[in-house]
Amino acid sequence: MKGMSVIVKKVAQLLSAMIFVFGMYIAIHGHIMPGGGFTGGVLLASSFIVLVLAQGLEYFKLKQQRERTSLVESLSVLLILLLGFSGLFAGSMVFFGNYLPKGQPGELLSAGNIPIYSILIGIKVAATLFTIFLALTIYKEEVST
Amino acid sequence: MTLYILCFILFLTGLYGLLISRNIIKIVISLTIVEISIFLMLILIGYISGGIAPVIFQQEVPQHQAVVDPLPQTMVLTAIVIALATNSMILAMAIRLYKKYGTFDIHEINKLKG
Amino acid sequence: MNTEIYLTIILIIMIILALTAIHAKDLLSAVIAQGGIGYGLVICFLLLKAPDLAIVQIVAETITIIIMVAVLHDSTRFEMRCPTCRRDIINLTSALILGATLLYFFVDAISVLPPFGEHTLRMSANYVYDAIEKTGATNLVKGVLWDFRALDTLGEAAVLFTTAMGVLAILRLKGRVKNN
């Protein structure tokens, strides 16, 4: 996959940073607004996808970096499971228990464990979708040559 | 009642596409149509006329205020992401088949096999 | 009452788009018609008071179209059609008969459901009226997703993980070579 013209590359660089920040905003505010982990994760993945589509595959040396997205994905699943297991030893002793202090409803720091799960699932969805996209493009190029 | 029947007709359209089409990309599109009709059916059942959306900017839900059922919305939220994942899985298989046989047509692939 | 009329119009447009997508000769136009169906679903979700789902669906549909176009990028775009085989006619008649039978049983079965807009909160009244006190989240959908029914969401994360592994296993041509 080759890169595009200079104008497209510059606009993609400027735009992808804004998409990234907006994705993080959506993922963090999931418990008080519409949005949440899934949406934020897909937005984070699409900010990377825009860059790759504009610059081409050779620019980033993505073939070496494909292993790292799998690593991030597995680590986030592991963290979600550990956080769920920690509910067995604290608070009301249930799996996935919500034992942190609840706070004032409507504030950013409220709702106990829910924002942490939201951020973790956002990282996980972003890593999974980016892995799938990279696999589809890289291996397609590899076979056709 | 007409809405439920129209939704089921959309489901039947997707099923017809699954039975009639020979191209793998067309099969993926028909599967997506079936999934979309099922999501819409679940949300249609959970709707309450005059209810507010289940995002509340107050300290407490007022009693006697109708709220749209959040349980089907949660299930559909999970199902949309899973549908995205399964679609990309089928497309990966389609790429491998295209590399091996040079076509997306299932009948051609059946002929070329062996 | 207005909601019902709007929903009916959008659903009819979606059915026409579905027929277009199935019968299109060019695969790229079929993909675009599928995108139209997805964005119609977004408007339906907004009318049915589900803003969460509308956001997720509009993002997921865009990613699906990008992946599909990436697959179609340098493959054959046009569908090969053989001159009407006998098998096509058998497929068409079986589809029509199956559809009519299913529609008959569906109309029979739907009389059990309450009519549109008169759903009663039976099981999830607890999820609505006690949610803010128990979980602290003002978005009730997130309260159900991560507190009352968190195990379902864990299963969903497991499905995503398995899919990524499966895609890599299908697409990788050469396995890792061991150094002797």
Side-chain angles (χ1 to χ4, degrees), chain B residues 68-89:
Chain B
V68 175
D69 198 347
L71 191 55
Q73 295 195 9
T74 312
M75 297 296 129
V76 173
L77 186 66
T78 313
I80 285 174
V81 183
I82 290 180
L84 178 59
T86 43
N87 271 352
S88 42
M89 183 99 180

mmCIF file of all heavy atoms in Angstrom, chain B residues 68-89:
data_model
loop_
_atom_site.group_PDB
_atom_site.id
_atom_site.type_symbol
_atom_site.label_atom_id
_atom_site.label_comp_id
_atom_site.label_asym_id
_atom_site.label_seq_id
_atom_site.Cartn_x
_atom_site.Cartn_y
_atom_site.Cartn_z
ATOM 1 N N VAL B 68 -36.756 4.450 29.288
ATOM 2 C CA VAL B 68 -36.620 3.356 28.323
ATOM 3 C C VAL B 68 -35.755 2.259 28.931
ATOM 4 O O VAL B 68 -34.802 2.539 29.639
ATOM 5 C CB VAL B 68 -35.994 3.903 27.021
ATOM 6 C CG1 VAL B 68 -35.719 2.798 26.057
ATOM 7 C CG2 VAL B 68 -36.910 4.905 26.397
ATOM 8 N N ASP B 69 -36.128 0.992 28.653
ATOM 9 C CA ASP B 69 -35.496 -0.160 29.290
ATOM 10 C C ASP B 69 -34.003 -0.232 28.944
ATOM 11 O O ASP B 69 -33.643 -0.321 27.774
ATOM 12 C CB ASP B 69 -36.205 -1.433 28.799
ATOM 13 C CG ASP B 69 -35.917 -2.588 29.708
ATOM 14 O OD1 ASP B 69 -35.011 -2.462 30.528
ATOM 15 O OD2 ASP B 69 -36.607 -3.612 29.592
ATOM 16 N N PRO B 70 -33.076 -0.159 29.935
ATOM 17 C CA PRO B 70 -31.647 -0.194 29.585
ATOM 18 C C PRO B 70 -31.104 -1.584 29.313
ATOM 19 O O PRO B 70 -30.009 -1.714 28.796
ATOM 20 C CB PRO B 70 -30.971 0.409 30.826
ATOM 21 C CG PRO B 70 -31.903 0.116 31.910
ATOM 22 C CD PRO B 70 -33.275 0.124 31.348
ATOM 23 N N LEU B 71 -31.835 -2.658 29.663
ATOM 24 C CA LEU B 71 -31.268 -4.006 29.543
ATOM 25 C C LEU B 71 -31.075 -4.443 28.088
ATOM 26 O O LEU B 71 -29.978 -4.892 27.738
ATOM 27 C CB LEU B 71 -32.164 -4.983 30.312
ATOM 28 C CG LEU B 71 -31.608 -6.366 30.509
ATOM 29 C CD1 LEU B 71 -30.257 -6.266 31.171
ATOM 30 C CD2 LEU B 71 -32.525 -7.171 31.381
ATOM 31 N N PRO B 72 -32.083 -4.270 27.165
ATOM 32 C CA PRO B 72 -31.829 -4.634 25.763
ATOM 33 C C PRO B 72 -30.732 -3.782 25.149
ATOM 34 O O PRO B 72 -29.951 -4.282 24.331
ATOM 35 C CB PRO B 72 -33.160 -4.369 25.066
ATOM 36 C CG PRO B 72 -34.159 -4.299 26.114
ATOM 37 C CD PRO B 72 -33.466 -3.851 27.337
ATOM 38 N N GLN B 73 -30.622 -2.510 25.582
ATOM 39 C CA GLN B 73 -29.585 -1.649 25.018
ATOM 40 C C GLN B 73 -28.211 -2.177 25.361
ATOM 41 O O GLN B 73 -27.289 -2.154 24.537
ATOM 42 C CB GLN B 73 -29.750 -0.227 25.544
ATOM 43 C CG GLN B 73 -31.031 0.397 25.092
ATOM 44 C CD GLN B 73 -31.030 1.882 25.310
ATOM 45 O OE1 GLN B 73 -30.023 2.465 25.635
ATOM 46 N NE2 GLN B 73 -32.181 2.498 25.128
ATOM 47 N N THR B 74 -28.047 -2.695 26.601
ATOM 48 C CA THR B 74 -26.753 -3.255 26.981
ATOM 49 C C THR B 74 -26.403 -4.467 26.134
ATOM 50 O O THR B 74 -25.280 -4.603 25.647
ATOM 51 C CB THR B 74 -26.798 -3.649 28.460
ATOM 52 O OG1 THR B 74 -27.348 -2.581 29.191
ATOM 53 C CG2 THR B 74 -25.451 -3.958 28.966
ATOM 54 N N MET B 75 -27.402 -5.357 25.959
ATOM 55 C CA MET B 75 -27.151 -6.573 25.183
ATOM 56 C C MET B 75 -26.768 -6.225 23.742
ATOM 57 O O MET B 75 -25.838 -6.802 23.170
ATOM 58 C CB MET B 75 -28.396 -7.466 25.172
ATOM 59 C CG MET B 75 -28.807 -7.961 26.514
ATOM 60 S SD MET B 75 -27.568 -9.023 27.194
ATOM 61 C CE MET B 75 -27.346 -8.325 28.792
ATOM 62 N N VAL B 76 -27.468 -5.247 23.145
ATOM 63 C CA VAL B 76 -27.181 -4.883 21.754
ATOM 64 C C VAL B 76 -25.820 -4.215 21.653
ATOM 65 O O VAL B 76 -25.084 -4.432 20.687
ATOM 66 C CB VAL B 76 -28.308 -3.996 21.208
ATOM 67 C CG1 VAL B 76 -27.960 -3.460 19.844
ATOM 68 C CG2 VAL B 76 -29.557 -4.795 21.096
ATOM 69 N N LEU B 77 -25.440 -3.424 22.674
ATOM 70 C CA LEU B 77 -24.119 -2.785 22.690
ATOM 71 C C LEU B 77 -23.022 -3.831 22.627
ATOM 72 O O LEU B 77 -22.031 -3.679 21.906
ATOM 73 C CB LEU B 77 -23.990 -1.949 23.960
ATOM 74 C CG LEU B 77 -22.774 -1.083 24.129
ATOM 75 C CD1 LEU B 77 -22.810 -0.009 23.092
ATOM 76 C CD2 LEU B 77 -22.751 -0.479 25.487
ATOM 77 N N THR B 78 -23.204 -4.946 23.381
ATOM 78 C CA THR B 78 -22.223 -6.026 23.314
ATOM 79 C C THR B 78 -22.243 -6.692 21.952
ATOM 80 O O THR B 78 -21.198 -7.010 21.392
ATOM 81 C CB THR B 78 -22.533 -7.044 24.411
ATOM 82 O OG1 THR B 78 -22.752 -6.346 25.613
ATOM 83 C CG2 THR B 78 -21.415 -8.000 24.604
ATOM 84 N N ALA B 79 -23.468 -6.879 21.409
ATOM 85 C CA ALA B 79 -23.604 -7.661 20.174
ATOM 86 C C ALA B 79 -23.029 -6.926 18.972
ATOM 87 O O ALA B 79 -22.529 -7.567 18.052
ATOM 88 C CB ALA B 79 -25.066 -7.998 19.933
ATOM 89 N N ILE B 80 -23.070 -5.567 18.968
ATOM 90 C CA ILE B 80 -22.565 -4.823 17.808
ATOM 91 C C ILE B 80 -21.066 -5.056 17.653
ATOM 92 O O ILE B 80 -20.565 -5.323 16.558
ATOM 93 C CB ILE B 80 -22.867 -3.318 17.973
ATOM 94 C CG1 ILE B 80 -24.340 -3.038 17.721
ATOM 95 C CG2 ILE B 80 -22.056 -2.495 17.010
ATOM 96 C CD1 ILE B 80 -24.731 -1.617 17.997
ATOM 97 N N VAL B 81 -20.338 -5.022 18.792
ATOM 98 C CA VAL B 81 -18.889 -5.200 18.716
ATOM 99 C C VAL B 81 -18.551 -6.621 18.284
ATOM 100 O O VAL B 81 -17.632 -6.852 17.490
ATOM 101 C CB VAL B 81 -18.252 -4.832 20.062
ATOM 102 C CG1 VAL B 81 -16.761 -4.946 19.986
ATOM 103 C CG2 VAL B 81 -18.616 -3.431 20.425
ATOM 104 N N ILE B 82 -19.327 -7.612 18.779
ATOM 105 C CA ILE B 82 -19.068 -8.998 18.392
ATOM 106 C C ILE B 82 -19.344 -9.193 16.904
ATOM 107 O O ILE B 82 -18.618 -9.909 16.207
ATOM 108 C CB ILE B 82 -19.910 -9.951 19.257
ATOM 109 C CG1 ILE B 82 -19.381 -9.945 20.676
ATOM 110 C CG2 ILE B 82 -19.851 -11.350 18.724
ATOM 111 C CD1 ILE B 82 -20.118 -10.823 21.591
ATOM 112 N N ALA B 83 -20.383 -8.509 16.373
ATOM 113 C CA ALA B 83 -20.685 -8.622 14.942
ATOM 114 C C ALA B 83 -19.532 -8.072 14.110
ATOM 115 O O ALA B 83 -19.152 -8.672 13.095
ATOM 116 C CB ALA B 83 -21.970 -7.864 14.628
ATOM 117 N N LEU B 84 -18.945 -6.951 14.571
ATOM 118 C CA LEU B 84 -17.774 -6.377 13.878
ATOM 119 C C LEU B 84 -16.631 -7.383 13.842
ATOM 120 O O LEU B 84 -16.001 -7.604 12.794
ATOM 121 C CB LEU B 84 -17.362 -5.099 14.609
ATOM 122 C CG LEU B 84 -16.160 -4.328 14.130
ATOM 123 C CD1 LEU B 84 -16.368 -3.911 12.709
ATOM 124 C CD2 LEU B 84 -15.961 -3.124 14.990
ATOM 125 N N ALA B 85 -16.393 -8.063 14.983
ATOM 126 C CA ALA B 85 -15.285 -9.010 15.062
ATOM 127 C C ALA B 85 -15.520 -10.202 14.137
ATOM 128 O O ALA B 85 -14.622 -10.607 13.394
ATOM 129 C CB ALA B 85 -15.108 -9.477 16.496
ATOM 130 N N THR B 86 -16.749 -10.766 14.144
ATOM 131 C CA THR B 86 -16.997 -11.948 13.309
ATOM 132 C C THR B 86 -16.909 -11.597 11.834
ATOM 133 O O THR B 86 -16.409 -12.387 11.034
ATOM 134 C CB THR B 86 -18.372 -12.544 13.605
ATOM 135 O OG1 THR B 86 -19.308 -11.488 13.710
ATOM 136 C CG2 THR B 86 -18.357 -13.324 14.870
ATOM 137 N N ASN B 87 -17.371 -10.380 11.464
ATOM 138 C CA ASN B 87 -17.271 -9.973 10.066
ATOM 139 C C ASN B 87 -15.829 -9.949 9.610
ATOM 140 O O ASN B 87 -15.503 -10.426 8.520
ATOM 141 C CB ASN B 87 -17.870 -8.580 9.888
ATOM 142 C CG ASN B 87 -19.328 -8.655 9.605
ATOM 143 O OD1 ASN B 87 -19.849 -9.744 9.398
ATOM 144 N ND2 ASN B 87 -19.987 -7.534 9.596
ATOM 145 N N SER B 88 -14.925 -9.398 10.462
ATOM 146 C CA SER B 88 -13.536 -9.325 10.013
ATOM 147 C C SER B 88 -12.917 -10.715 9.938
ATOM 148 O O SER B 88 -12.068 -10.974 9.089
ATOM 149 C CB SER B 88 -12.728 -8.401 10.905
ATOM 150 O OG SER B 88 -13.051 -8.610 12.222
ATOM 151 N N MET B 89 -13.379 -11.641 10.795
ATOM 152 C CA MET B 89 -12.894 -13.038 10.723
ATOM 153 C C MET B 89 -13.264 -13.667 9.386
ATOM 154 O O MET B 89 -12.430 -14.289 8.715
ATOM 155 C CB MET B 89 -13.533 -13.811 11.871
ATOM 156 C CG MET B 89 -13.095 -15.224 11.998
ATOM 157 S SD MET B 89 -11.859 -15.341 13.245
ATOM 158 C CE MET B 89 -11.561 -17.085 13.162
#
